[in-house]
Amino acid sequence: SSALKRPVVGIFGPTNPAWVGPYNTKGAIATINLDCSPCYFWKKGRLKCNEGKNFECMKIPVDTVYKLVKEFL
């Protein structure tokens, strides 16, 4: 989307939108902003939540994303 300069809604859990978020285009970020994210704790094999929060950062409400998408429609 960025290459085509189309609006982007990025959904971010453990990753850092400041590092890998939408660029060169209009964009919005959907995230929960927990105190432990972004964490980027990657290991070989399965991703593990080091804070023991069972990946709460990935449980972004659909309504949150929908409201951001509506802004671009």
Side-chain angles (χ1 to χ4, degrees), residues 11-15 31-43 45-61:
I11 301 172
F12 291 88
T15 55
T31 187
I32 296 180
N33 292 322
L34 297 175
D35 57 346
C36 59
S37 65
C39 65
Y40 269 119
F41 289 122
W42 294 92
K43 295 181 178 182
R46 298 178 74 181
L47 182 63
K48 180 181 177 190
C49 184
N50 287 345
E51 292 293 318
K53 293 186 179 181
N54 198 27
F55 294 104
E56 290 296 319
C57 62
M58 295 298 293
K59 297 175 183 172
I60 300 167

PDB file of all heavy atoms in Angstrom, residues 11-15 31-43 45-61:
ATOM      1  N   ILE A  11      -1.818  -2.985  11.941  1.00  0.00           N
ATOM      2  CA  ILE A  11      -2.227  -3.634  13.182  1.00  0.00           C
ATOM      3  C   ILE A  11      -0.962  -4.162  13.847  1.00  0.00           C
ATOM      4  O   ILE A  11      -0.267  -5.010  13.287  1.00  0.00           O
ATOM      5  CB  ILE A  11      -3.227  -4.771  12.901  1.00  0.00           C
ATOM      6  CG1 ILE A  11      -4.462  -4.197  12.191  1.00  0.00           C
ATOM      7  CG2 ILE A  11      -3.616  -5.472  14.197  1.00  0.00           C
ATOM      8  CD1 ILE A  11      -5.427  -5.240  11.698  1.00  0.00           C
ATOM      9  N   PHE A  12      -0.658  -3.655  15.044  1.00  0.00           N
ATOM     10  CA  PHE A  12       0.608  -3.964  15.706  1.00  0.00           C
ATOM     11  C   PHE A  12       0.375  -4.508  17.100  1.00  0.00           C
ATOM     12  O   PHE A  12      -0.345  -3.914  17.897  1.00  0.00           O
ATOM     13  CB  PHE A  12       1.475  -2.710  15.797  1.00  0.00           C
ATOM     14  CG  PHE A  12       1.977  -2.261  14.462  1.00  0.00           C
ATOM     15  CD1 PHE A  12       1.239  -1.399  13.682  1.00  0.00           C
ATOM     16  CD2 PHE A  12       3.184  -2.730  13.981  1.00  0.00           C
ATOM     17  CE1 PHE A  12       1.685  -0.991  12.443  1.00  0.00           C
ATOM     18  CE2 PHE A  12       3.650  -2.339  12.734  1.00  0.00           C
ATOM     19  CZ  PHE A  12       2.899  -1.463  11.961  1.00  0.00           C
ATOM     20  N   GLY A  13       1.026  -5.625  17.389  1.00  0.00           N
ATOM     21  CA  GLY A  13       1.019  -6.224  18.718  1.00  0.00           C
ATOM     22  C   GLY A  13       2.395  -6.085  19.327  1.00  0.00           C
ATOM     23  O   GLY A  13       2.744  -5.046  19.870  1.00  0.00           O
ATOM     24  N   PRO A  14       3.259  -7.120  19.180  1.00  0.00           N
ATOM     25  CA  PRO A  14       4.591  -7.045  19.773  1.00  0.00           C
ATOM     26  C   PRO A  14       5.583  -6.248  18.932  1.00  0.00           C
ATOM     27  O   PRO A  14       6.682  -5.992  19.382  1.00  0.00           O
ATOM     28  CB  PRO A  14       5.014  -8.516  19.876  1.00  0.00           C
ATOM     29  CG  PRO A  14       4.269  -9.197  18.788  1.00  0.00           C
ATOM     30  CD  PRO A  14       2.954  -8.464  18.675  1.00  0.00           C
ATOM     31  N   THR A  15       5.217  -5.879  17.724  1.00  0.00           N
ATOM     32  CA  THR A  15       6.144  -5.136  16.876  1.00  0.00           C
ATOM     33  C   THR A  15       6.014  -3.635  17.104  1.00  0.00           C
ATOM     34  O   THR A  15       5.005  -3.151  17.602  1.00  0.00           O
ATOM     35  CB  THR A  15       5.912  -5.453  15.389  1.00  0.00           C
ATOM     36  OG1 THR A  15       4.551  -5.200  15.076  1.00  0.00           O
ATOM     37  CG2 THR A  15       6.239  -6.896  15.080  1.00  0.00           C
ATOM     38  N   THR A  31      -3.356  -0.420  17.839  1.00  0.00           N
ATOM     39  CA  THR A  31      -2.571  -1.116  18.862  1.00  0.00           C
ATOM     40  C   THR A  31      -3.242  -0.925  20.211  1.00  0.00           C
ATOM     41  O   THR A  31      -4.107  -0.065  20.366  1.00  0.00           O
ATOM     42  CB  THR A  31      -1.116  -0.591  18.894  1.00  0.00           C
ATOM     43  OG1 THR A  31      -0.365  -1.400  19.786  1.00  0.00           O
ATOM     44  CG2 THR A  31      -1.032   0.851  19.293  1.00  0.00           C
ATOM     45  N   ILE A  32      -2.842  -1.710  21.175  1.00  0.00           N
ATOM     46  CA  ILE A  32      -3.413  -1.596  22.517  1.00  0.00           C
ATOM     47  C   ILE A  32      -2.531  -0.747  23.431  1.00  0.00           C
ATOM     48  O   ILE A  32      -2.988  -0.232  24.425  1.00  0.00           O
ATOM     49  CB  ILE A  32      -3.645  -2.992  23.133  1.00  0.00           C
ATOM     50  CG1 ILE A  32      -4.680  -3.752  22.308  1.00  0.00           C
ATOM     51  CG2 ILE A  32      -4.140  -2.894  24.556  1.00  0.00           C
ATOM     52  CD1 ILE A  32      -4.996  -5.124  22.818  1.00  0.00           C
ATOM     53  N   ASN A  33      -1.260  -0.594  23.111  1.00  0.00           N
ATOM     54  CA  ASN A  33      -0.323   0.198  23.918  1.00  0.00           C
ATOM     55  C   ASN A  33      -0.173  -0.333  25.340  1.00  0.00           C
ATOM     56  O   ASN A  33      -0.347   0.398  26.311  1.00  0.00           O
ATOM     57  CB  ASN A  33      -0.736   1.675  23.964  1.00  0.00           C
ATOM     58  CG  ASN A  33      -0.585   2.347  22.633  1.00  0.00           C
ATOM     59  OD1 ASN A  33       0.363   2.085  21.912  1.00  0.00           O
ATOM     60  ND2 ASN A  33      -1.529   3.204  22.294  1.00  0.00           N
ATOM     61  N   LEU A  34       0.165  -1.598  25.465  1.00  0.00           N
ATOM     62  CA  LEU A  34       0.446  -2.160  26.785  1.00  0.00           C
ATOM     63  C   LEU A  34       1.816  -1.696  27.259  1.00  0.00           C
ATOM     64  O   LEU A  34       2.657  -1.288  26.459  1.00  0.00           O
ATOM     65  CB  LEU A  34       0.429  -3.689  26.718  1.00  0.00           C
ATOM     66  CG  LEU A  34      -0.905  -4.322  26.347  1.00  0.00           C
ATOM     67  CD1 LEU A  34      -0.733  -5.832  26.213  1.00  0.00           C
ATOM     68  CD2 LEU A  34      -1.959  -4.010  27.387  1.00  0.00           C
ATOM     69  N   ASP A  35       2.048  -1.786  28.556  1.00  0.00           N
ATOM     70  CA  ASP A  35       3.337  -1.349  29.092  1.00  0.00           C
ATOM     71  C   ASP A  35       4.493  -2.236  28.627  1.00  0.00           C
ATOM     72  O   ASP A  35       5.632  -1.809  28.607  1.00  0.00           O
ATOM     73  CB  ASP A  35       3.302  -1.299  30.621  1.00  0.00           C
ATOM     74  CG  ASP A  35       2.930  -2.627  31.259  1.00  0.00           C
ATOM     75  OD1 ASP A  35       2.446  -3.530  30.545  1.00  0.00           O
ATOM     76  OD2 ASP A  35       3.109  -2.753  32.483  1.00  0.00           O
ATOM     77  N   CYS A  36       4.203  -3.456  28.190  1.00  0.00           N
ATOM     78  CA  CYS A  36       5.258  -4.377  27.755  1.00  0.00           C
ATOM     79  C   CYS A  36       5.468  -4.387  26.235  1.00  0.00           C
ATOM     80  O   CYS A  36       6.348  -5.084  25.738  1.00  0.00           O
ATOM     81  CB  CYS A  36       4.939  -5.792  28.222  1.00  0.00           C
ATOM     82  SG  CYS A  36       3.369  -6.417  27.601  1.00  0.00           S
ATOM     83  N   SER A  37       4.654  -3.652  25.500  1.00  0.00           N
ATOM     84  CA  SER A  37       4.836  -3.661  24.043  1.00  0.00           C
ATOM     85  C   SER A  37       5.276  -2.294  23.566  1.00  0.00           C
ATOM     86  O   SER A  37       4.935  -1.291  24.170  1.00  0.00           O
ATOM     87  CB  SER A  37       3.545  -4.098  23.342  1.00  0.00           C
ATOM     88  OG  SER A  37       2.523  -3.166  23.555  1.00  0.00           O
ATOM     89  N   PRO A  38       6.071  -2.230  22.521  1.00  0.00           N
ATOM     90  CA  PRO A  38       6.513  -3.368  21.722  1.00  0.00           C
ATOM     91  C   PRO A  38       7.630  -4.121  22.425  1.00  0.00           C
ATOM     92  O   PRO A  38       8.426  -3.528  23.138  1.00  0.00           O
ATOM     93  CB  PRO A  38       7.014  -2.724  20.444  1.00  0.00           C
ATOM     94  CG  PRO A  38       7.450  -1.358  20.842  1.00  0.00           C
ATOM     95  CD  PRO A  38       6.559  -0.952  21.984  1.00  0.00           C
ATOM     96  N   CYS A  39       7.660  -5.428  22.196  1.00  0.00           N
ATOM     97  CA  CYS A  39       8.676  -6.230  22.884  1.00  0.00           C
ATOM     98  C   CYS A  39       9.667  -6.902  21.937  1.00  0.00           C
ATOM     99  O   CYS A  39      10.832  -7.022  22.259  1.00  0.00           O
ATOM    100  CB  CYS A  39       8.019  -7.274  23.769  1.00  0.00           C
ATOM    101  SG  CYS A  39       7.075  -8.516  22.878  1.00  0.00           S
ATOM    102  N   TYR A  40       9.207  -7.379  20.802  1.00  0.00           N
ATOM    103  CA  TYR A  40      10.091  -8.025  19.830  1.00  0.00           C
ATOM    104  C   TYR A  40      10.901  -9.176  20.402  1.00  0.00           C
ATOM    105  O   TYR A  40      12.044  -9.359  20.063  1.00  0.00           O
ATOM    106  CB  TYR A  40      11.090  -7.020  19.248  1.00  0.00           C
ATOM    107  CG  TYR A  40      10.615  -6.328  18.008  1.00  0.00           C
ATOM    108  CD1 TYR A  40      10.484  -4.950  17.999  1.00  0.00           C
ATOM    109  CD2 TYR A  40      10.327  -7.029  16.852  1.00  0.00           C
ATOM    110  CE1 TYR A  40      10.071  -4.287  16.859  1.00  0.00           C
ATOM    111  CE2 TYR A  40       9.910  -6.374  15.717  1.00  0.00           C
ATOM    112  CZ  TYR A  40       9.782  -5.012  15.719  1.00  0.00           C
ATOM    113  OH  TYR A  40       9.370  -4.357  14.614  1.00  0.00           O
ATOM    114  N   PHE A  41      10.363  -9.946  21.314  1.00  0.00           N
ATOM    115  CA  PHE A  41      11.099 -11.097  21.845  1.00  0.00           C
ATOM    116  C   PHE A  41      10.885 -12.303  20.943  1.00  0.00           C
ATOM    117  O   PHE A  41       9.930 -13.041  21.086  1.00  0.00           O
ATOM    118  CB  PHE A  41      10.666 -11.421  23.280  1.00  0.00           C
ATOM    119  CG  PHE A  41      11.133 -10.404  24.271  1.00  0.00           C
ATOM    120  CD1 PHE A  41      10.238  -9.721  25.056  1.00  0.00           C
ATOM    121  CD2 PHE A  41      12.476 -10.124  24.406  1.00  0.00           C
ATOM    122  CE1 PHE A  41      10.680  -8.780  25.966  1.00  0.00           C
ATOM    123  CE2 PHE A  41      12.928  -9.183  25.313  1.00  0.00           C
ATOM    124  CZ  PHE A  41      12.018  -8.515  26.094  1.00  0.00           C
ATOM    125  N   TRP A  42      11.789 -12.475  19.995  1.00  0.00           N
ATOM    126  CA  TRP A  42      11.710 -13.584  19.047  1.00  0.00           C
ATOM    127  C   TRP A  42      12.757 -14.630  19.399  1.00  0.00           C
ATOM    128  O   TRP A  42      13.860 -14.308  19.784  1.00  0.00           O
ATOM    129  CB  TRP A  42      11.964 -13.098  17.624  1.00  0.00           C
ATOM    130  CG  TRP A  42      10.902 -12.193  17.140  1.00  0.00           C
ATOM    131  CD1 TRP A  42      10.890 -10.835  17.238  1.00  0.00           C
ATOM    132  CD2 TRP A  42       9.687 -12.546  16.500  1.00  0.00           C
ATOM    133  NE1 TRP A  42       9.749 -10.320  16.687  1.00  0.00           N
ATOM    134  CE2 TRP A  42       8.989 -11.351  16.222  1.00  0.00           C
ATOM    135  CE3 TRP A  42       9.125 -13.752  16.119  1.00  0.00           C
ATOM    136  CZ2 TRP A  42       7.762 -11.345  15.599  1.00  0.00           C
ATOM    137  CZ3 TRP A  42       7.894 -13.726  15.493  1.00  0.00           C
ATOM    138  CH2 TRP A  42       7.233 -12.538  15.244  1.00  0.00           C
ATOM    139  N   LYS A  43      12.368 -15.857  19.263  1.00  0.00           N
ATOM    140  CA  LYS A  43      13.284 -16.978  19.456  1.00  0.00           C
ATOM    141  C   LYS A  43      13.069 -17.944  18.306  1.00  0.00           C
ATOM    142  O   LYS A  43      12.093 -17.850  17.582  1.00  0.00           O
ATOM    143  CB  LYS A  43      12.973 -17.696  20.769  1.00  0.00           C
ATOM    144  CG  LYS A  43      13.198 -16.868  22.003  1.00  0.00           C
ATOM    145  CD  LYS A  43      12.877 -17.694  23.226  1.00  0.00           C
ATOM    146  CE  LYS A  43      13.140 -16.896  24.480  1.00  0.00           C
ATOM    147  NZ  LYS A  43      12.892 -17.669  25.672  1.00  0.00           N
ATOM    148  N   GLY A  45      11.668 -21.047  16.678  1.00  0.00           N
ATOM    149  CA  GLY A  45      10.447 -21.775  17.010  1.00  0.00           C
ATOM    150  C   GLY A  45       9.299 -20.819  17.279  1.00  0.00           C
ATOM    151  O   GLY A  45       9.197 -19.758  16.675  1.00  0.00           O
ATOM    152  N   ARG A  46       8.494 -21.156  18.228  1.00  0.00           N
ATOM    153  CA  ARG A  46       7.289 -20.383  18.510  1.00  0.00           C
ATOM    154  C   ARG A  46       7.587 -19.092  19.273  1.00  0.00           C
ATOM    155  O   ARG A  46       8.485 -19.039  20.107  1.00  0.00           O
ATOM    156  CB  ARG A  46       6.321 -21.225  19.331  1.00  0.00           C
ATOM    157  CG  ARG A  46       5.884 -22.476  18.575  1.00  0.00           C
ATOM    158  CD  ARG A  46       4.991 -23.318  19.395  1.00  0.00           C
ATOM    159  NE  ARG A  46       3.692 -22.649  19.440  1.00  0.00           N
ATOM    160  CZ  ARG A  46       2.658 -23.123  20.101  1.00  0.00           C
ATOM    161  NH1 ARG A  46       2.751 -24.226  20.783  1.00  0.00           N
ATOM    162  NH2 ARG A  46       1.513 -22.467  20.099  1.00  0.00           N
ATOM    163  N   LEU A  47       6.800 -18.072  18.987  1.00  0.00           N
ATOM    164  CA  LEU A  47       6.903 -16.799  19.695  1.00  0.00           C
ATOM    165  C   LEU A  47       6.366 -16.987  21.108  1.00  0.00           C
ATOM    166  O   LEU A  47       5.359 -17.653  21.316  1.00  0.00           O
ATOM    167  CB  LEU A  47       6.100 -15.734  18.952  1.00  0.00           C
ATOM    168  CG  LEU A  47       6.110 -14.326  19.496  1.00  0.00           C
ATOM    169  CD1 LEU A  47       7.521 -13.761  19.456  1.00  0.00           C
ATOM    170  CD2 LEU A  47       5.192 -13.452  18.679  1.00  0.00           C
ATOM    171  N   LYS A  48       7.037 -16.417  22.085  1.00  0.00           N
ATOM    172  CA  LYS A  48       6.632 -16.561  23.480  1.00  0.00           C
ATOM    173  C   LYS A  48       6.430 -15.189  24.087  1.00  0.00           C
ATOM    174  O   LYS A  48       7.236 -14.284  23.884  1.00  0.00           O
ATOM    175  CB  LYS A  48       7.709 -17.322  24.244  1.00  0.00           C
ATOM    176  CG  LYS A  48       7.383 -17.519  25.691  1.00  0.00           C
ATOM    177  CD  LYS A  48       8.497 -18.246  26.413  1.00  0.00           C
ATOM    178  CE  LYS A  48       8.150 -18.361  27.888  1.00  0.00           C
ATOM    179  NZ  LYS A  48       9.248 -18.822  28.691  1.00  0.00           N
ATOM    180  N   CYS A  49       5.353 -15.032  24.815  1.00  0.00           N
ATOM    181  CA  CYS A  49       5.092 -13.786  25.525  1.00  0.00           C
ATOM    182  C   CYS A  49       5.895 -13.805  26.819  1.00  0.00           C
ATOM    183  O   CYS A  49       5.578 -14.533  27.755  1.00  0.00           O
ATOM    184  CB  CYS A  49       3.595 -13.637  25.821  1.00  0.00           C
ATOM    185  SG  CYS A  49       3.180 -12.075  26.601  1.00  0.00           S
ATOM    186  N   ASN A  50       6.942 -13.005  26.875  1.00  0.00           N
ATOM    187  CA  ASN A  50       7.831 -13.008  28.041  1.00  0.00           C
ATOM    188  C   ASN A  50       7.217 -12.394  29.284  1.00  0.00           C
ATOM    189  O   ASN A  50       7.705 -12.600  30.373  1.00  0.00           O
ATOM    190  CB  ASN A  50       9.151 -12.303  27.711  1.00  0.00           C
ATOM    191  CG  ASN A  50      10.018 -13.149  26.813  1.00  0.00           C
ATOM    192  OD1 ASN A  50       9.787 -14.338  26.650  1.00  0.00           O
ATOM    193  ND2 ASN A  50      11.014 -12.541  26.218  1.00  0.00           N
ATOM    194  N   GLU A  51       6.165 -11.625  29.124  1.00  0.00           N
ATOM    195  CA  GLU A  51       5.524 -11.010  30.280  1.00  0.00           C
ATOM    196  C   GLU A  51       4.440 -11.900  30.878  1.00  0.00           C
ATOM    197  O   GLU A  51       3.817 -11.539  31.861  1.00  0.00           O
ATOM    198  CB  GLU A  51       4.903  -9.664  29.883  1.00  0.00           C
ATOM    199  CG  GLU A  51       5.925  -8.612  29.536  1.00  0.00           C
ATOM    200  CD  GLU A  51       6.746  -8.184  30.735  1.00  0.00           C
ATOM    201  OE1 GLU A  51       6.180  -8.003  31.825  1.00  0.00           O
ATOM    202  OE2 GLU A  51       7.961  -8.040  30.585  1.00  0.00           O
ATOM    203  N   GLY A  52       4.154 -13.036  30.231  1.00  0.00           N
ATOM    204  CA  GLY A  52       3.122 -13.936  30.744  1.00  0.00           C
ATOM    205  C   GLY A  52       1.715 -13.385  30.576  1.00  0.00           C
ATOM    206  O   GLY A  52       0.805 -13.768  31.296  1.00  0.00           O
ATOM    207  N   LYS A  53       1.544 -12.483  29.628  1.00  0.00           N
ATOM    208  CA  LYS A  53       0.226 -11.866  29.426  1.00  0.00           C
ATOM    209  C   LYS A  53      -0.586 -12.551  28.327  1.00  0.00           C
ATOM    210  O   LYS A  53      -1.593 -12.038  27.884  1.00  0.00           O
ATOM    211  CB  LYS A  53       0.386 -10.383  29.103  1.00  0.00           C
ATOM    212  CG  LYS A  53       0.918  -9.595  30.268  1.00  0.00           C
ATOM    213  CD  LYS A  53       0.925  -8.128  29.977  1.00  0.00           C
ATOM    214  CE  LYS A  53       1.453  -7.369  31.193  1.00  0.00           C
ATOM    215  NZ  LYS A  53       1.463  -5.939  30.982  1.00  0.00           N
ATOM    216  N   ASN A  54      -0.121 -13.714  27.876  1.00  0.00           N
ATOM    217  CA  ASN A  54      -0.857 -14.502  26.888  1.00  0.00           C
ATOM    218  C   ASN A  54      -1.176 -13.701  25.628  1.00  0.00           C
ATOM    219  O   ASN A  54      -2.283 -13.761  25.108  1.00  0.00           O
ATOM    220  CB  ASN A  54      -2.129 -15.080  27.516  1.00  0.00           C
ATOM    221  CG  ASN A  54      -2.681 -16.228  26.716  1.00  0.00           C
ATOM    222  OD1 ASN A  54      -1.935 -16.918  26.030  1.00  0.00           O
ATOM    223  ND2 ASN A  54      -3.971 -16.435  26.791  1.00  0.00           N
ATOM    224  N   PHE A  55      -0.217 -12.917  25.173  1.00  0.00           N
ATOM    225  CA  PHE A  55      -0.352 -12.132  23.940  1.00  0.00           C
ATOM    226  C   PHE A  55      -1.556 -11.193  23.945  1.00  0.00           C
ATOM    227  O   PHE A  55      -2.260 -11.053  22.954  1.00  0.00           O
ATOM    228  CB  PHE A  55      -0.381 -13.038  22.706  1.00  0.00           C
ATOM    229  CG  PHE A  55       0.901 -13.746  22.467  1.00  0.00           C
ATOM    230  CD1 PHE A  55       1.044 -15.091  22.772  1.00  0.00           C
ATOM    231  CD2 PHE A  55       1.998 -13.067  21.967  1.00  0.00           C
ATOM    232  CE1 PHE A  55       2.246 -15.748  22.564  1.00  0.00           C
ATOM    233  CE2 PHE A  55       3.210 -13.709  21.758  1.00  0.00           C
ATOM    234  CZ  PHE A  55       3.323 -15.048  22.061  1.00  0.00           C
ATOM    235  N   GLU A  56      -1.798 -10.552  25.064  1.00  0.00           N
ATOM    236  CA  GLU A  56      -2.892  -9.569  25.138  1.00  0.00           C
ATOM    237  C   GLU A  56      -2.709  -8.469  24.100  1.00  0.00           C
ATOM    238  O   GLU A  56      -3.675  -7.874  23.637  1.00  0.00           O
ATOM    239  CB  GLU A  56      -2.965  -8.958  26.545  1.00  0.00           C
ATOM    240  CG  GLU A  56      -3.446  -9.923  27.602  1.00  0.00           C
ATOM    241  CD  GLU A  56      -4.872 -10.384  27.385  1.00  0.00           C
ATOM    242  OE1 GLU A  56      -5.723  -9.556  27.018  1.00  0.00           O
ATOM    243  OE2 GLU A  56      -5.120 -11.583  27.578  1.00  0.00           O
ATOM    244  N   CYS A  57      -1.467  -8.199  23.705  1.00  0.00           N
ATOM    245  CA  CYS A  57      -1.190  -7.152  22.720  1.00  0.00           C
ATOM    246  C   CYS A  57      -1.786  -7.471  21.354  1.00  0.00           C
ATOM    247  O   CYS A  57      -1.973  -6.576  20.525  1.00  0.00           O
ATOM    248  CB  CYS A  57       0.310  -6.921  22.587  1.00  0.00           C
ATOM    249  SG  CYS A  57       1.228  -8.368  22.006  1.00  0.00           S
ATOM    250  N   MET A  58      -2.090  -8.736  21.096  1.00  0.00           N
ATOM    251  CA  MET A  58      -2.667  -9.135  19.813  1.00  0.00           C
ATOM    252  C   MET A  58      -4.190  -9.100  19.820  1.00  0.00           C
ATOM    253  O   MET A  58      -4.821  -9.312  18.799  1.00  0.00           O
ATOM    254  CB  MET A  58      -2.196 -10.546  19.451  1.00  0.00           C
ATOM    255  CG  MET A  58      -0.709 -10.643  19.210  1.00  0.00           C
ATOM    256  SD  MET A  58      -0.168  -9.644  17.822  1.00  0.00           S
ATOM    257  CE  MET A  58      -0.947 -10.487  16.476  1.00  0.00           C
ATOM    258  N   LYS A  59      -4.777  -8.843  20.966  1.00  0.00           N
ATOM    259  CA  LYS A  59      -6.235  -8.869  21.090  1.00  0.00           C
ATOM    260  C   LYS A  59      -6.819  -7.469  20.903  1.00  0.00           C
ATOM    261  O   LYS A  59      -7.492  -6.924  21.772  1.00  0.00           O
ATOM    262  CB  LYS A  59      -6.628  -9.481  22.421  1.00  0.00           C
ATOM    263  CG  LYS A  59      -6.168 -10.928  22.520  1.00  0.00           C
ATOM    264  CD  LYS A  59      -6.434 -11.528  23.866  1.00  0.00           C
ATOM    265  CE  LYS A  59      -5.884 -12.941  23.903  1.00  0.00           C
ATOM    266  NZ  LYS A  59      -5.936 -13.527  25.225  1.00  0.00           N
ATOM    267  N   ILE A  60      -6.565  -6.906  19.744  1.00  0.00           N
ATOM    268  CA  ILE A  60      -7.040  -5.569  19.404  1.00  0.00           C
ATOM    269  C   ILE A  60      -8.511  -5.685  18.996  1.00  0.00           C
ATOM    270  O   ILE A  60      -8.839  -6.465  18.099  1.00  0.00           O
ATOM    271  CB  ILE A  60      -6.197  -4.962  18.276  1.00  0.00           C
ATOM    272  CG1 ILE A  60      -4.747  -4.874  18.731  1.00  0.00           C
ATOM    273  CG2 ILE A  60      -6.732  -3.603  17.854  1.00  0.00           C
ATOM    274  CD1 ILE A  60      -3.769  -4.596  17.623  1.00  0.00           C
ATOM    275  N   PRO A  61      -9.392  -4.933  19.632  1.00  0.00           N
ATOM    276  CA  PRO A  61     -10.814  -5.042  19.307  1.00  0.00           C
ATOM    277  C   PRO A  61     -11.104  -4.703  17.841  1.00  0.00           C
ATOM    278  O   PRO A  61     -10.514  -3.779  17.276  1.00  0.00           O
ATOM    279  CB  PRO A  61     -11.478  -4.019  20.231  1.00  0.00           C
ATOM    280  CG  PRO A  61     -10.488  -3.789  21.327  1.00  0.00           C
ATOM    281  CD  PRO A  61      -9.140  -3.992  20.709  1.00  0.00           C
TER     282      PRO A  61
END
